[in-house]
Amino acid sequence: MNLLTPAKVREGLEEVREGRAFALGLPLTFPGGSSLNPNRLPPVHRPNLRHGLPNANCVLGSLSPGSSDVMNDDLVVLHTQYSTQWDALVHVGSLFDADGDGESEPVYYNGYRAGVDVVGPSNPADCGIPGPDGTTTVDLGPVGIGTLAAHPVQGRAVMIDLAHHFGTAHRVVSYEDIDAVLHADGVDVRPGDIVTVHTGFAQRIVSMAGDPDPAVLHAYGAVLDGRDPALLEWITDSGIAAIAADNYAVELYPAHPAGSPTSILPLHEHCLFKLGVHLGELWYLTELAAALRAAQRTSFLLTAPPLNLPGASGSPLNPIATI
């Protein structure tokens, strides 16, 4: 994201011709339930307490005689990567011999160390949804999402519309496929661009109205082939700033078997661990993709800051595209 220089912001602004804006974030309550990912639960939304009373439709006259106010104040227990999200660089690291001593240790982008720079609990009791007296137990450090949030995420973005070219049947997409789409649509991918990938997955989630069908969704739409060396080389050589897709994981998960030890998320490993290229998941891209195609365009201004939550492994967001 350091490639999002003032020059890249100006490039993005040059793509604004109509002044039409598109919200690319799903409701934070979507996909719905936990059947797609049992490790990520939907938000818990509750009123807080005001002097021991429920702070929902709270008539303040009972607390402040003479007041005519009625108040609501609330809280959310939120899994940061449940819905539309940015992955922080700390989201996926690797066992890597960073010391050159023949022993692999858990490290993250740029050599940040587990247990030193990235600190978390080992006791399961210190994990999961806390009780009323629960405290913060993790600080994922400088490779957490707070580092990204400290700098505005805005610049030129391009659309790769896989759903238009390949439909929504399950397909593992190679660099050859990507290259064909780039040429067919005249997509001009420049260094520092944010690449968005439309598969139709998020639109299918929306159509399920918070009750997702895993049997349908796990076999729905295109996914990138993280085992394709040509695709990984293109990501490196293109100099892009980030990739955001409308599906889970961006890539095929788990990836095709490739011996051991090896990453089951090789595109994540390549982008987050090796390159420092952030990944976005579950973005809502269908309306934007249709508008761009109708206008015979593929590029736009993207504004996509994460929440400024220091030390977190990811963040929800409501990105805005302007064309």
Side-chain angles (χ1 to χ4, degrees), residues 9-201:
V9 175
R10 288 195 299 272
E11 279 189 48
L13 290 169
E14 290 168 0
E15 301 293 346
V16 179
R17 304 169 192 173
E18 303 174 41
R20 298 171 62 195
F22 296 82
L24 309 183
L26 292 172
L28 291 180
T29 53
F30 278 21
S34 58
S35 58
L36 290 180
N37 187 336
N39 300 312
R40 296 174 182 169
L41 306 179
V44 177
H45 185 199
R46 296 162 61 95
N48 60 14
L49 292 169
R50 181 178 290 268
H51 298 290
L53 298 177
N55 209 347
N57 299 317
C58 182
V59 178
L60 290 195
S62 62
L63 300 172
S64 301
S67 171
S68 62
D69 301 301
V70 180
M71 295 290 291
N72 289 279
D73 211 339
D74 49 7
L75 61 89
V76 176
V77 178
L78 186 68
H79 286 231
T80 57
Q81 292 166 280
Y82 181 76
S83 188
T84 304
Q85 66 188 260
W86 276 127
D87 288 343
L89 299 182
V90 76
H91 179 50
V92 173
S94 185
L95 291 174
F96 181 76
D97 181 12
D99 299 324
D101 59 3
E103 296 290 333
S104 296
E105 48 272 338
V107 294
Y108 300 92
Y109 174 72
N110 223 14
Y112 287 102
R113 302 300 180 96
V116 179
D117 308 294
V118 177
V119 179
S122 56
N123 186 345
D126 293 326
C127 306
I129 296 177
D133 298 321
T135 59
T136 296
T137 61
V138 65
D139 181 356
L140 300 179
V143 274
I145 203 70
T147 300
L148 176 60
H151 303 280
V153 179
Q154 187 178 55
R156 184 179 186 269
V158 296
M159 175 70 71
I160 298 179
D161 193 351
L162 299 182
H164 175 81
H165 290 275
F166 302 127
T168 55
H170 183 62
R171 182 188 182 100
V172 182
V173 171
S174 66
Y175 168 71
E176 185 177 349
D177 295 323
I178 293 290
D179 189 54
V181 171
L182 295 179
H183 281 88
D185 288 349
V187 184
D188 176 19
V189 180
R190 304 174 186 173
D193 282 354
I194 296 174
V195 171
T196 60
V197 181
H198 176 233
T199 71
F201 188 94

